[in-house]
Amino acid sequence: MSSLVNHTFSLGESVHGKPDQQCPGLAVQNAALGTSCILGIIANTIILAFIFKNRRGGLTPDKILITNFAGVDLIACLISLPLHMRAINGSSGLADNGVCLARFFSMFTSFAVNIMTLAAISIDRYDAICRAPFREITLKKTVYHLVFIWLFAICTAAAGGSGHVLTAARSEHVCLTPGREIPSGALTGKSVMLAIVTLWIVPSLAIMFYRFYAIVKYVQEHSAHLRSVLGAVGVKREVKLTRICAAMVITYLGCWVMFAVMVALRNVFSSLTVHCTYLWSHSLAYSSFTVVPFEYMILDKRLLAYVKQKFARRFRKIS
């Protein structure tokens, strides 16, 4: 047991041929990531099953967007998160370049799709409340938007990872460790990646904050009109769903903001403390694929009731 607790994270060989320093607590991080992976698969599967079960009620733009969000999170838990666990448990040698590349592309694509889906959800919420009862966002438009989001995310992941690919092609280390000098090509690739990330994340965040602010202002100024158009029950339902979506956005960004800070710091400093903090922030970012779905399950009482009903039926069968 003591050997498990004292297990450390070997960071491979430094440029001078000496073993790199080590990050302590890998066992704890593995346990947290493994738990997050299992719970994420369960939560996202439940959300998808709930939406599929209630498909007879008709598909709406918000259902399609939530389905896409849960689907991306499920893919991340099945593919990207295990790759991350494999990467942090590897030797960070040249043999691990393939794992690090696969982790980057899967994580970058999942993150890009999720952020842009959250932006699309904010637009849908604005459309449902501020333009009621005549909505401009149709089911067909939503599907077209999702196709664009996926294609754009894949293309930007390929462009953003070009530096990593070139680094691997030159037989240089893709996974960075303390004491290992960052190749000039990799630094150029990181600059390209940051520029590409800025290309879609800034507009997405601007859309989210503007739309949710506009919704709050519209509800405050036109509450009587909304009740006359949607009815008291309809207004309550749409506002509640909007609050849930806003909470999802805040939680998701909260999980990723530390990782963004540590990426910038790691590119400047190569100390053991910065690198280990970067690894933990990276793992925290991955927890968003689990935490946000669970948040949605708890806040949406219909979904929570569905889960309780399933457990009650299983319990009766067992007893």
Side-chain angles (χ1 to χ4, degrees):
M1 180 67 179
S2 60
S3 62
L4 179 67
V5 175
N6 295 326
H7 187 68
T8 53
F9 176 17
S10 174
L11 296 174
E13 297 291 321
S14 70
V15 292
H16 304 293
K18 300 177 182 180
D20 285 329
Q21 295 171 295
Q22 298 176 327
C23 287
L26 179 62
V28 177
Q29 191 166 174
N30 278 333
L33 287 170
T35 303
S36 178
C37 182
I38 294 171
L39 293 178
I41 292 172
I42 293 173
N44 289 294
T45 301
I46 289 175
I47 292 174
L48 293 173
F50 175 76
I51 295 175
F52 180 78
K53 181 184 176 182
N54 293 276
R55 67 189 185 282
R56 293 180 180 178
L59 290 175
T60 56
D62 58 277
K63 287 183 180 179
I64 293 293
L65 293 170
I66 294 296
T67 299
N68 184 71
F69 192 89
V72 175
D73 285 349
L74 182 60
I75 292 172
C77 290
L78 290 172
I79 299 176
S80 189
L81 204 156
L83 286 172
H84 176 62
M85 293 182 67
R86 171 64 181 83
I88 67 174
N89 284 281
S91 63
S92 294
L94 291 176
D96 290 324
N97 276 356
V99 174
C100 293
L101 283 173
R103 176 185 62 171
F104 171 81
F105 285 114
S106 57
M107 183 200 73
F108 194 106
T109 303
S110 299
F111 176 65
V113 171
N114 269 351
I115 285 292
M116 288 187 285
T117 300
L118 288 173
I121 288 175
S122 69
I123 294 173
D124 170 74
R125 293 293 80 219
Y126 178 87
D127 188 64
I129 294 176
C130 301
R131 293 172 178 159
F134 305 106
R135 299 191 57 171
E136 294 183 6
I137 306 298
T138 63
L139 191 62
K140 189 175 181 180
K141 285 183 179 179
T142 303
V143 173
Y144 286 154
H145 289 161
L146 288 180
V147 170
F148 169 78
I149 285 173
W150 274 96
L151 291 175
F152 187 78
I154 293 171
C155 291
T156 53
S162 58
H164 294 296
V165 174
L166 292 175
T167 300
R170 289 193 293 266
S171 297
E172 296 173 339
H173 296 280
V174 174
C175 297
L176 300 178
T177 63
R180 178 177 292 162
E181 184 179 352
I182 302 177
S184 58
L187 285 174
T188 303
K190 288 179 181 298
S191 300
V192 173
M193 181 187 69
L194 290 174
I196 291 174
V197 169
T198 305
L199 179 66
W200 53 260
I201 197 171
V202 171
S204 296
L205 292 177
I207 289 171
M208 282 186 273
F209 290 122
Y210 171 74
R211 292 298 184 182
F212 283 124
Y213 170 77
I215 290 171
V216 171
K217 190 174 181 180
Y218 187 87
V219 171
Q220 291 175 345
E221 296 178 355
H222 302 87
S223 57
H225 170 71
L226 282 173
R227 283 194 297 269
S228 66
V229 172
L230 299 176
V233 176
V235 172
K236 185 178 180 180
R237 181 181 64 251
E238 297 294 350
V239 170
K240 181 181 178 181
L241 181 55
T242 302
R243 287 175 177 171
I244 292 174
C245 294
M248 290 170 60
V249 170
I250 294 172
T251 303
Y252 193 84
L253 295 178
C255 290
W256 282 88
V257 66
M258 180 56 71
F259 175 65
V261 172
M262 292 312 303
V263 167
L265 291 177
R266 192 197 63 166
N267 292 340
V268 177
F269 304 102
S270 186
S271 68
L272 177 65
T273 301
V274 170
H275 186 81
C276 294
T277 306
Y278 163 80
L279 290 177
W280 274 103
S281 67
H282 201 166
S283 298
L284 174 63
Y286 270 105
S287 71
S288 65
F289 301 125
T290 298
V291 174
V292 175
F294 263 101
E295 180 181 39
Y296 179 75
M297 287 176 56
I298 294 171
L299 295 177
D300 191 334
K301 294 183 179 180
R302 299 172 304 161
L303 186 52
L304 199 59
Y306 169 76
V307 174
K308 290 180 179 178
Q309 184 184 31
K310 285 292 182 181
F311 273 104
R313 287 180 179 178
R314 291 290 178 91
F315 181 76
R316 284 197 296 267
K317 286 181 179 180
I318 295 173
S319 60

